[in-house]
Amino acid sequence: MRPHSFFVGILLALALACGGPASAQDAATWIWYPGDFEIWLSNRMQVQRVERAVAWPPFWRLYHHQPQMNFTRQLELAEPEEITLAVEGTYNVAIDGKFVHGDQQRITLPAGKHGINIQVYNPVSPPSVYVRGRTVHSDATWTVAPRPFQAVAEGAVAAASWNLSAAGQPPSRYKLATTEVKPAAIQRGPHSVLVDFGQETIGFIKLSKLKGNGKLSLYYGESPEEALSTGTCETLDHYTINANDGDFIAGASRALRYVNIEFDPGVGFDEVSLLYEYLPVTPRGTFRSSDDQLNRIWDVAMRTLELNTREFFIDGIKRDHWVWSGDAVQAYLMNYYAFFDSDTVKRTTWALRGADPVDMHLNTILDYSLYWFIGIRDYYQYTGDAAFVKSIYPRMVSLMNFVLARGNANGMLEGLPGDWVFVDWADMPKDGELSTIQLLLARSLEAMADCAALARDEAHAAAYRQMATALRHKIMATFWDTQRQVFVHARKDGRLNRLVTRHPAMFALMFGYLDDAQAAAVRRNVLMNDTVQKITTPYMRFYELAALAESGRHDYVTAQIKDYWGGMLRDGATCFWEQYDPKVKGPERYAMYGKPFGMSLCHAWGASPLYLLGKYYLGVKPTQPGYAAYIVEPKLGGLRWIEGKVPTPRGDIAVFASATQIKVTAADGQGLLRFTSATPPRSGRGALRKIADHQYELTLESGKTYTVERSN
Amino acid sequence: MRPHSFFVGILLALALACGGPASAQDAATWIWYPGDFEIWLSNRMQVQRVERAVAWPPFWRLYHHQPQMNFTRQLELAEPEEITLAVEGTYNVAIDGKFVHGDQQRITLPAGKHGINIQVYNPVSPPSVYVRGRTVHSDATWTVAPRPFQAVAEGAVAAASWNLSAAGQPPSRYKLATTEVKPAAIQRGPHSVLVDFGQETIGFIKLSKLKGNGKLSLYYGESPEEALSTGTCETLDHYTINANDGDFIAGASRALRYVNIEFDPGVGFDEVSLLYEYLPVTPRGTFRSSDDQLNRIWDVAMRTLELNTREFFIDGIKRDHWVWSGDAVQAYLMNYYAFFDSDTVKRTTWALRGADPVDMHLNTILDYSLYWFIGIRDYYQYTGDAAFVKSIYPRMVSLMNFVLARGNANGMLEGLPGDWVFVDWADMPKDGELSTIQLLLARSLEAMADCAALARDEAHAAAYRQMATALRHKIMATFWDTQRQVFVHARKDGRLNRLVTRHPAMFALMFGYLDDAQAAAVRRNVLMNDTVQKITTPYMRFYELAALAESGRHDYVTAQIKDYWGGMLRDGATCFWEQYDPKVKGPERYAMYGKPFGMSLCHAWGASPLYLLGKYYLGVKPTQPGYAAYIVEPKLGGLRWIEGKVPTPRGDIAVFASATQIKVTAADGQGLLRFTSATPPRSGRGALRKIADHQYELTLESGKTYTVERSN
């Protein structure tokens, strides 16, 4: 018995189930309420974390998409038009407030001025619709709101989408791509096989022609030691097999380089392979230099970032695959010099934030809430995507309200019960008012001011700006030790903790909060001072080396990169690690969090050379949002030559530089090449300007290639 | 192939799947975060609304339960104890912050002081757990919070539950009960059958021994006209049959008295019956009198309320079965004199409110937000359940914040864009400041003040009290026409609309906002004045007759009940209707909302005689929360005798009254009988006190029966 009342219950109405990808002309795409798909997808991804068969979903609040939404559009049609609908959820269609009866998947819109509303209920995956007609398509011209026919003035917002442009590929069925890869080496035992895929990877183990009855276990390892340590490896899967020559594909995607397959005597299979699971991205950024090790570092960093660029930017592929704000904001910056994948930045930003109301910091970490604001400001600077900023601005306001409500009587932030103050895996007290935290808050307030202005919230823009300025003055008055010319670490209960760490120095330098004398002092007294506690995480090395590069210490940065990241390569890394201490050798390198294989050997924050080499060596950065204007200021950092491409929303910028020559192919936008030359340089195109002793500038025109001969 | 990693994905782990209901000693029950089950269940129920095969979910914002929760308990065990777990969702168990590995359904708790945390992710139905041990059970001693091991000081709250006390009956499988009922009459045609179940009812149509191939349609009707009007009846179901002598049960529960079954020539079946679907409730309240019509009104009102007392108190069983706040708050009051089903009041209150943040009024209706506060205050007065008030208090605060933020410069409420100002289906302007709305706001602020005090939020309690007092003064200064001694209807843009309606008079009287002279004036000038627009909905007749009864006009109320509700009975009602106008006859009575059968013939607000007769005739009401003290003040209202029972949390109160005798059996609590007698009365037990001319009082002791002889 088949009920005709097919709108009862959840259904996936796929009128266009046979439809392939839409043609270029046809701009229909699945649409939903901004953020809802991302919340749903991030839950689906993050709750997959398992520690040795125990489920380990994130320990922070998880949100949920809104189960009901209305998709509305105002129409003005010269003639009647038939539309076909695909909808995820129970739904109705109304035209001018009246329900359409009869066929709900093929509807004729009347000519003239009308309003259409599609009300969708879906508690399982985000309510979403796909509409295709001759002129009417589901796209950003539709608005979304909780009430039917809700107007923009009453709170309706522009519909969100991604790249789901086929009716038959609805949001709920979204999956990463897979492709089969073969092992690099196999070691067979009587009832076990140790497989090496040659490099860090992630996916579903496939066993061809599996047969027999009995148990089969997969023990995964980023190292052979981990895969063979069946009692302590971080991830494993047990299966009970009753198979007859069919192909077996493991139920879970796992990170690994090695897999140790153990099975009962009755069980056998032919080949082992991996369905490598990935987000298709285009490596637009490139880098080559006269130093082969540095080139290898770039390549491994690209691999590291690519593996962690998935449904979202994640911290590492093995252990958490959670979305962490502090990690993500660095991945964004690397991404601008690697894939320029704006969509993944946007998805990650929505996912981190979740919905309202806010009652805990992002990832429960105080500093991670602050990085989130800064990441949005960075995103705008690189992409110029004001629509996204406007879309997420209301959630910026509610998070900032939460943050500010937790300020103390001095208008500063300190960890309150339930807050995790992280800053770094480093030996430092975390209670009271940390100077680093206040610097991040000041920067967050500046980001709020900029975004408020974009969202036309002028009153708040001014208020945030004022708060930022006041806080910056307070920070200097409180934490700047005028005698020692350093920032001190913290104040607690009114008493300063005069410990000096690298962290506030790095951030103050990068944020441009210091005058020249102060900047020189912190470089000398802190960053270049070996008696100050060293930074051991690639996470904070990111900011440390960026701050040094900002200060023109490229030779030192080159040496540091070669030493630190080169050290990991010498230790056999095929991706960069969560933590690295060259003094620790053997399997002990893999221990962390009290677990022998707790450390992650493929951690996004390890890929920071991408950012450092792209921004500070190739020297490309936007000076106006979205590269409307940009600067190219190549620095050799002790290398004989460097060359590469930096992606922008307006095309790639190609750079070659040696001591005697610079060659730049400009992207769209207002470009400026700045370089040094000991003697007056020559250029085949464009007028050179001398701006200081040995300092020259050249204006770049869109798409043109410039070659400058110089001496250094 | 069966994966052993059974904690990946959503699972229902039923270690105790074979377990029947828990024994009385064993207090284990399914627990969840307060409100989450109710939000989930109300979505499931409300989205089932269908208008002639078009899905019609509610047009207001729907919320969603929180997909992840942590259930925590502090333990102190003399010896190790084994517990068994049933969990709805993916979960892990941690003791003192460390995961339990191995068996996740049978866990041994160590002796001594420890903390246990169960983290549960479930996006589909509310995360919930069931734990049973020798001494450790899941119950209200557990706390719930978004973070693992979160303390009460950090926001964890007591776990909520209902009556789901068997491991095998988890929240997601909750269903109303069903029982099979046979038709009262059947009319057979060649390819159709018209079935009459004899009275309004609801459930799943069952056809025994269905056979053949072809179409089968069910057209439901509250009247025979509706069931036979296949093109305009409100609900219908079409099925395509391919059956062989099996029993057919319709997929949807529908309200009906009649069903018109039409089928293709090839289709046949034996018997028609109905699986009547209901919430098991006990009719504790009773009423009988010397007037048979009034007795029948009571019975039909009980049937009406019972049919609408389901997963929640709904407005009517046929059309919406949505939860409407203004309707519900009346159903609560009737319920206190009928079933005293506190759980359904609590579920309904949670469901109406949903979650945070609030961006529209309950049901989008301004007045419906206000009734919600008043309903909670009423609930506390009748039940004394302070735990519930404390539990829902945070959502009272956030809704009141939303309401107050929409106040105008005068601190009054008027409809803003997106607000529906309902008040009543009555001819009156709804824009500007309505006096009725401000009275409801004042009462809501008083409710907030009382509930804030219960939640130990003393600062807010004082603030709310002050706002209420100030508003009451403002209402009198603005809307009380001292010359005409009436409330005027509204003020808009500073100008009074001097229309007089019954509504503000009713509410001001009931809320006790008038002094004796003012009260007498509104009774005379408004309520007993036939030139003032009459009330035509049972919805507002509820308050009108209650206000008149408060004023001692019982004879008039009796006549009104017999006329209005008696009129429906004369017109063939088996339940009371959404609207009744005795002047309209024939099938036109069934029309509403522009649809020939749009009116509901079983509407909860039609059952108000339960409240009127219980509270104002049997005369029983609590004077302290939860009937810790109460009064019994029987009024004959022109009847020769009345008798009945009124349920309380402390037992039933039985009352008989005639002109010459009153007999009361007291419940627990401090009771007081108050009555009139022309001559000094006599009592077999207790000391009578004269309190005024012909007015006497008698103190009632728990469980005792008192007989008073009097003359009137």
Side-chain angles (χ1 to χ4, degrees):
Chain A
M1 275 150 282
R2 180 172 59 83
H4 277 210
S5 318
F6 43 66
F7 302 108
V8 180
I10 301 306
L11 86 157
L12 173 61
L14 286 175
L16 304 174
C18 56
S23 69
Q25 191 201 0
D26 175 352
T29 183
W30 283 93
I31 54 175
W32 53 78
Y33 189 84
D36 272 357
F37 172 71
E38 293 78 3
I39 288 172
W40 169 83
L41 185 64
S42 64
N43 285 355
R44 194 182 74 171
M45 182 189 75
Q46 295 185 111
V47 301
Q48 283 168 11
R49 179 176 184 177
V50 173
E51 189 195 62
R52 297 185 61 79
V54 172
W56 192 348
F59 52 77
W60 49 83
R61 182 187 281 291
L62 293 184
Y63 298 90
H64 196 275
H65 68 269
Q66 297 165 81
Q68 177 165 282
M69 271 298 149
N70 286 273
F71 300 82
T72 308
R73 192 170 186 279
Q74 298 309 316
L75 307 166
E76 188 165 2
L77 298 175
E79 53 189 43
E81 178 172 334
E82 187 181 86
I83 54 170
T84 49
L85 282 85
V87 177
E88 287 212 305
T90 307
Y91 72 100
N92 63 52
V93 181
I95 296 176
D96 301 336
K98 286 196 175 141
F99 285 149
V100 173
H101 284 264
D103 191 343
Q104 302 283 303
Q105 288 155 311
R106 208 169 280 271
I107 286 169
T108 300
L109 303 173
K113 275 195 175 184
H114 300 281
I116 181 173
N117 187 88
I118 307 174
Q119 182 180 11
V120 186
Y121 172 73
N122 189 344
V124 176
S125 64
S128 39
V129 307
Y130 183 95
V131 176
R132 198 197 290 187
R134 205 176 55 74
T135 69
V136 177
H137 305 304
S138 48
D139 56 23
T141 64
W142 290 63
T143 57
V144 207
R147 281 206 314 272
F149 290 103
Q150 200 171 323
V152 170
E154 296 166 354
V157 298
S161 64
W162 183 17
N163 59 3
L164 310 180
S165 53
Q169 293 171 346
S172 74
R173 298 200 197 158
Y174 174 75
K175 269 187 187 175
L176 294 175
T178 54
T179 186
E180 192 165 353
V181 297
K182 301 288 180 189
I186 297 183
Q187 257 181 277
R188 293 184 192 272
H191 300 302
S192 69
V193 179
L194 180 66
V195 183
D196 175 6
F197 285 95
Q199 63 175 346
E200 177 90 21
T201 186
I202 183 170
F204 305 86
I205 292 293
K206 179 178 168 188
L207 306 175
S208 69
K209 300 198 176 171
L210 181 69
K211 52 180 165 285
N213 297 303
K215 288 190 177 157
L216 174 89
S217 298
L218 305 175
Y219 301 98
Y220 304 91
E222 293 188 316
S223 60
E225 290 89 342
E226 183 179 10
L228 292 168
S229 300
T230 57
T232 50
C233 62
E234 284 285 311
T235 54
L236 53 84
D237 290 306
H238 296 302
Y239 295 91
T240 299
I241 299 301
N242 180 3
N244 200 353
D245 266 0
D247 285 352
F248 164 92
I249 295 170
S253 171
R254 307 266 184 231
L256 73 158
R257 173 173 166 178
Y258 302 88
V259 61
N260 167 25
I261 310 175
E262 301 193 354
F263 41 90
D264 278 356
V267 174
F269 49 87
D270 280 9
E271 304 291 333
V272 182
S273 61
L274 181 82
L275 300 185
Y276 169 57
E277 189 196 34
Y278 65 100
L279 179 81
V281 289
T282 307
R284 291 177 58 193
T286 62
F287 179 83
R288 277 295 172 268
S289 73
S290 53
D291 186 299
D292 281 347
Q293 188 191 42
L294 208 59
N295 299 344
R296 173 83 183 132
I297 288 172
W298 171 275
D299 290 345
V300 171
M302 280 295 271
R303 171 82 184 164
T304 304
L305 184 62
E306 185 170 348
L307 283 169
N308 287 294
T309 304
R310 306 179 64 74
E311 294 94 333
F312 305 93
F313 286 113
I314 59 174
D315 66 325
I317 57 176
K318 178 173 79 168
R319 203 189 47 225
D320 305 15
H321 50 75
W322 288 349
V323 185
W324 292 90
S325 181
D327 305 51
V329 78
Q330 295 190 356
Y332 303 162
L333 292 172
M334 301 170 200
N335 166 63
Y336 301 131
Y337 293 91
F339 314 119
F340 212 95
D341 181 347
S342 306
D343 283 325
T344 305
V345 179
K346 290 195 286 183
R347 287 199 308 281
T348 306
T349 304
W350 282 116
L352 279 166
R353 177 56 187 80
D356 287 326
V358 196
D359 68 351
M360 59 182 74
H361 285 295
L362 302 198
N363 315 119
T364 76
I365 304 178
L366 169 52
D367 22 333
Y368 278 29
S369 286
L370 303 177
Y371 287 121
W372 184 81
F373 300 106
I374 297 169
I376 294 171
R377 180 66 186 78
D378 290 345
Y379 173 80
Y380 179 63
Q381 184 69 8
Y382 277 93
T383 66
D385 179 0
F388 172 72
V389 174
K390 283 178 205 164
S391 183
I392 205 156
Y393 177 68
R395 294 202 186 162
M396 297 180 75
V397 172
S398 47
L399 180 59
M400 186 51 88
N401 285 345
F402 170 79
V403 167
L404 294 176
R406 295 170 83 77
N408 66 16
N410 307 322
M412 290 195 189
L413 293 176
E414 48 188 305
L416 297 184
D419 295 353
W420 176 6
V421 179
F422 175 54
V423 183
D424 193 9
W425 294 124
D427 193 16
M428 58 167 80
K430 305 272 178 80
D431 46 353
E433 300 158 319
L434 272 60
S435 51
T436 301
I437 294 289
Q438 315 318 318
L439 287 161
L440 291 171
L441 174 59
R443 190 61 165 176
S444 301
L445 288 165
E446 290 170 349
M448 284 304 298
D450 291 347
C451 295
L454 282 170
R456 306 245 182 288
D457 183 2
E458 307 297 351
H460 279 107
Y464 290 129
R465 186 82 57 204
Q466 207 165 18
M467 290 172 73
T469 307
L471 181 59
R472 281 175 57 176
H473 285 300
K474 223 182 289 183
I475 289 169
M476 295 310 288
T478 308
F479 300 108
W480 181 252
D481 185 327
T482 47
Q483 224 162 6
R484 293 194 290 166
Q485 293 282 299
V486 293
F487 282 104
V488 301
H489 176 62
R491 180 172 66 179
K492 197 190 164 193
D493 303 328
R495 295 189 54 171
L496 283 180
N497 177 336
R498 297 184 180 277
L499 174 70
V500 175
T501 63
R502 292 170 188 263
H503 302 79
M506 284 148 36
F507 287 108
L509 264 177
M510 268 193 313
F511 297 160
Y513 288 178
L514 302 178
D515 62 29
D516 288 351
Q518 290 166 333
V522 300
R523 276 196 292 276
R524 186 180 61 243
N525 299 334
V526 183
L527 296 187
M528 307 294 288
N529 179 351
D530 279 352
T531 67
V532 175
Q533 189 189 100
K534 282 198 177 159
I535 283 172
T536 62
T537 54
Y539 175 49
M540 278 293 138
R541 294 232 87 182
F542 178 102
Y543 295 115
E544 182 187 29
L545 297 181
L548 286 163
E550 292 276 356
S551 314
R553 299 295 176 126
H554 291 77
D555 290 17
Y556 179 82
V557 171
T558 307
Q560 290 288 313
I561 292 178
K562 284 172 63 66
D563 180 54
Y564 189 83
W565 279 268
M568 285 190 255
L569 290 185
R570 281 189 299 274
D571 271 7
T574 63
C575 276
F576 292 123
W577 302 351
E578 182 175 15
Q579 183 157 283
Y580 176 60
D581 183 344
K583 293 190 295 293
V584 184
K585 296 291 177 192
E588 281 179 25
R589 291 172 299 177
Y590 308 137
M592 202 169 172
Y593 307 110
K595 299 186 292 182
F597 302 102
M599 209 257 282
S600 158
L601 298 194
C602 175
H603 220 71
W605 71 27
S608 55
L610 301 176
Y611 176 69
L612 298 170
L613 296 172
K615 183 170 181 188
Y616 298 113
Y617 287 68
L618 299 178
V620 177
K621 60 181 178 188
T623 51
Q624 280 178 26
Y627 280 91
Y630 62 90
I631 193 165
V632 182
E633 197 171 4
K635 299 282 180 184
L636 289 170
L639 301 162
R640 281 190 293 112
W641 57 266
I642 56 172
E643 75 176 343
K645 279 187 188 160
V646 172
T648 85
R650 302 155 174 261
D652 294 342
I653 298 167
V655 179
F656 169 87
S658 70
T660 56
Q661 194 184 58
I662 293 174
K663 201 170 157 184
V664 175
T665 302
D668 194 13
Q670 202 175 332
L672 189 69
L673 173 66
R674 189 178 292 156
F675 62 96
T676 55
S677 186
T679 56
R682 282 175 302 140
S683 169
R685 166 180 275 153
L688 290 167
R689 289 183 303 283
K690 182 170 182 173
I691 53 170
D693 273 359
H694 312 305
Q695 292 272 352
Y696 298 87
E697 270 185 7
L698 180 65
T699 299
L700 305 173
E701 277 178 49
S702 169
K704 293 194 175 150
T705 299
Y706 298 81
T707 307
V708 172
E709 308 296 336
R710 66 166 176 175
S711 67
N712 264 315
Chain B
M1 276 151 281
R2 181 173 58 81
H4 278 209
S5 317
F6 42 67
F7 301 107
V8 181
I10 301 305
L11 86 157
L12 173 61
L14 286 175
L16 304 176
C18 55
S23 69
Q25 188 200 3
D26 173 350
T29 183
W30 283 93
I31 54 175
W32 51 79
Y33 189 84
D36 272 358
F37 173 71
E38 293 78 2
I39 288 172
W40 170 82
L41 186 64
S42 63
N43 285 356
R44 194 182 75 171
M45 183 189 75
Q46 295 185 110
V47 301
Q48 283 168 11
R49 179 176 185 178
V50 173
E51 188 195 63
R52 298 185 61 79
V54 172
W56 192 349
F59 52 78
W60 50 83
R61 182 186 283 291
L62 293 184
Y63 297 90
H64 196 276
H65 68 268
Q66 296 164 82
Q68 178 165 282
M69 272 299 149
N70 286 272
F71 299 81
T72 309
R73 193 170 184 280
Q74 297 308 316
L75 306 166
E76 188 164 3
L77 298 176
E79 52 188 43
E81 178 170 334
E82 187 182 84
I83 54 169
T84 50
L85 282 84
V87 177
E88 288 212 304
T90 307
Y91 72 100
N92 62 53
V93 181
I95 297 176
D96 300 336
K98 285 196 177 142
F99 286 148
V100 173
H101 284 266
D103 191 343
Q104 301 284 303
Q105 289 155 311
R106 208 169 281 272
I107 286 169
T108 300
L109 303 173
K113 276 194 174 182
H114 300 282
I116 180 173
N117 187 87
I118 308 174
Q119 182 179 11
V120 186
Y121 172 73
N122 189 345
V124 177
S125 64
S128 38
V129 307
Y130 182 95
V131 175
R132 198 196 290 187
R134 204 176 55 76
T135 69
V136 177
H137 305 303
S138 48
D139 56 23
T141 63
W142 290 64
T143 57
V144 206
R147 282 206 314 272
F149 290 102
Q150 200 170 323
V152 169
E154 296 166 352
V157 299
S161 64
W162 183 16
N163 59 4
L164 310 179
S165 54
Q169 294 171 346
S172 75
R173 297 200 198 158
Y174 174 75
K175 269 187 188 176
L176 294 175
T178 54
T179 186
E180 192 165 354
V181 298
K182 301 289 181 189
I186 297 184
Q187 256 183 278
R188 294 184 191 273
H191 300 302
S192 69
V193 179
L194 179 65
V195 182
D196 176 6
F197 285 96
Q199 64 174 346
E200 178 90 21
T201 186
I202 183 170
F204 305 86
I205 292 293
K206 179 178 168 187
L207 306 176
S208 70
K209 300 199 177 172
L210 181 69
K211 52 179 164 284
N213 297 304
K215 287 189 177 155
L216 174 90
S217 297
L218 305 176
Y219 301 98
Y220 304 91
E222 292 189 315
S223 61
E225 291 88 342
E226 183 179 12
L228 292 168
S229 299
T230 57
T232 51
C233 62
E234 283 285 311
T235 53
L236 53 84
D237 290 306
H238 297 300
Y239 294 92
T240 298
I241 299 299
N242 180 3
N244 202 352
D245 265 0
D247 285 351
F248 164 92
I249 295 169
S253 170
R254 306 267 183 230
L256 74 157
R257 173 173 167 179
Y258 302 89
V259 62
N260 167 25
I261 310 176
E262 302 194 355
F263 42 90
D264 280 355
V267 173
F269 50 87
D270 280 8
E271 304 291 333
V272 182
S273 62
L274 181 82
L275 299 186
Y276 170 58
E277 190 196 34
Y278 65 101
L279 179 81
V281 289
T282 307
R284 290 178 57 192
T286 62
F287 179 83
R288 276 295 171 268
S289 73
S290 52
D291 186 301
D292 281 347
Q293 188 190 41
L294 208 59
N295 298 346
R296 172 84 185 131
I297 288 171
W298 172 274
D299 291 345
V300 171
M302 281 294 271
R303 172 82 185 164
T304 304
L305 184 63
E306 184 169 349
L307 283 170
N308 286 294
T309 305
R310 306 179 65 75
E311 294 94 333
F312 305 94
F313 287 113
I314 59 173
D315 66 325
I317 57 176
K318 177 174 78 167
R319 202 187 49 223
D320 305 15
H321 50 74
W322 288 349
V323 186
W324 292 92
S325 181
D327 306 49
V329 77
Q330 294 189 357
Y332 302 162
L333 292 172
M334 303 170 199
N335 167 62
Y336 300 131
Y337 292 91
F339 314 118
F340 212 96
D341 181 347
S342 306
D343 282 327
T344 305
V345 180
K346 290 195 285 182
R347 287 198 309 280
T348 306
T349 304
W350 282 116
L352 279 167
R353 177 58 186 79
D356 287 327
V358 196
D359 67 351
M360 59 182 73
H361 284 296
L362 302 199
N363 315 119
T364 76
I365 305 177
L366 169 52
D367 21 333
Y368 277 29
S369 285
L370 303 177
Y371 287 121
W372 184 80
F373 299 106
I374 298 169
I376 293 171
R377 180 64 186 78
D378 290 345
Y379 173 81
Y380 178 64
Q381 184 68 9
Y382 278 93
T383 65
D385 179 0
F388 172 72
V389 174
K390 282 177 205 162
S391 183
I392 205 157
Y393 178 68
R395 294 202 187 163
M396 297 180 75
V397 172
S398 47
L399 180 59
M400 186 51 88
N401 286 345
F402 171 78
V403 167
L404 294 177
R406 293 170 84 80
N408 65 17
N410 307 321
M412 290 195 188
L413 293 176
E414 48 189 307
L416 298 184
D419 295 354
W420 176 5
V421 179
F422 176 52
V423 182
D424 193 8
W425 293 125
D427 194 16
M428 59 168 78
K430 306 272 178 81
D431 44 355
E433 299 158 321
L434 273 58
S435 51
T436 302
I437 295 289
Q438 315 319 316
L439 287 161
L440 291 172
L441 175 59
R443 190 61 165 176
S444 300
L445 288 165
E446 289 171 349
M448 284 304 299
D450 291 347
C451 295
L454 282 170
R456 306 245 182 286
D457 183 1
E458 306 297 351
H460 278 107
Y464 290 128
R465 185 82 58 205
Q466 205 164 18
M467 290 170 72
T469 306
L471 181 59
R472 282 176 57 175
H473 286 301
K474 223 180 288 182
I475 289 169
M476 295 309 289
T478 309
F479 300 108
W480 180 251
D481 185 327
T482 46
Q483 224 163 8
R484 293 194 292 165
Q485 293 281 300
V486 294
F487 283 103
V488 300
H489 175 62
R491 181 171 66 178
K492 196 189 167 195
D493 302 329
R495 295 189 53 172
L496 283 180
N497 178 334
R498 296 185 179 277
L499 174 70
V500 174
T501 64
R502 293 172 185 263
H503 303 79
M506 284 147 37
F507 287 107
L509 265 177
M510 269 193 312
F511 297 160
Y513 287 178
L514 302 177
D515 62 29
D516 288 349
Q518 291 166 332
V522 300
R523 277 197 293 274
R524 186 178 59 243
N525 300 334
V526 184
L527 296 188
M528 307 295 288
N529 179 350
D530 278 352
T531 68
V532 175
Q533 188 189 104
K534 283 198 175 159
I535 283 172
T536 62
T537 54
Y539 174 49
M540 278 294 138
R541 293 232 88 181
F542 179 103
Y543 294 116
E544 183 189 29
L545 297 181
L548 286 163
E550 292 276 355
S551 313
R553 300 295 177 125
H554 291 78
D555 290 16
Y556 179 82
V557 172
T558 307
Q560 290 287 313
I561 292 178
K562 285 172 61 67
D563 180 55
Y564 190 83
W565 280 266
M568 285 190 255
L569 291 185
R570 282 190 298 274
D571 270 9
T574 62
C575 275
F576 291 123
W577 303 352
E578 182 175 16
Q579 184 157 282
Y580 176 60
D581 182 346
K583 291 190 297 292
V584 184
K585 297 290 175 191
E588 281 178 26
R589 291 172 299 176
Y590 309 136
M592 202 170 173
Y593 307 109
K595 298 185 292 180
F597 302 102
M599 209 257 281
S600 158
L601 297 194
C602 175
H603 221 71
W605 70 28
S608 55
L610 300 177
Y611 176 68
L612 298 170
L613 296 172
K615 182 170 180 187
Y616 297 115
Y617 287 67
L618 300 178
V620 177
K621 61 182 179 189
T623 50
Q624 279 178 28
Y627 280 91
Y630 62 91
I631 193 164
V632 181
E633 196 170 5
K635 299 282 180 185
L636 288 170
L639 301 162
R640 280 190 292 114
W641 57 266
I642 56 172
E643 75 175 344
K645 279 186 186 161
V646 171
T648 86
R650 302 155 175 260
D652 295 342
I653 297 166
V655 180
F656 169 87
S658 70
T660 56
Q661 194 185 57
I662 293 174
K663 200 168 159 187
V664 175
T665 302
D668 194 11
Q670 201 174 332
L672 189 69
L673 173 65
R674 187 179 292 156
F675 61 95
T676 57
S677 187
T679 56
R682 282 176 302 139
S683 170
R685 166 180 276 154
L688 289 168
R689 290 183 301 283
K690 182 170 181 173
I691 54 171
D693 273 359
H694 313 304
Q695 292 272 354
Y696 298 88
E697 271 185 5
L698 180 66
T699 299
L700 305 174
E701 277 176 49
S702 172
K704 294 196 173 150
T705 299
Y706 298 82
T707 307
V708 173
E709 307 296 338
R710 66 165 176 177
S711 66
N712 264 314

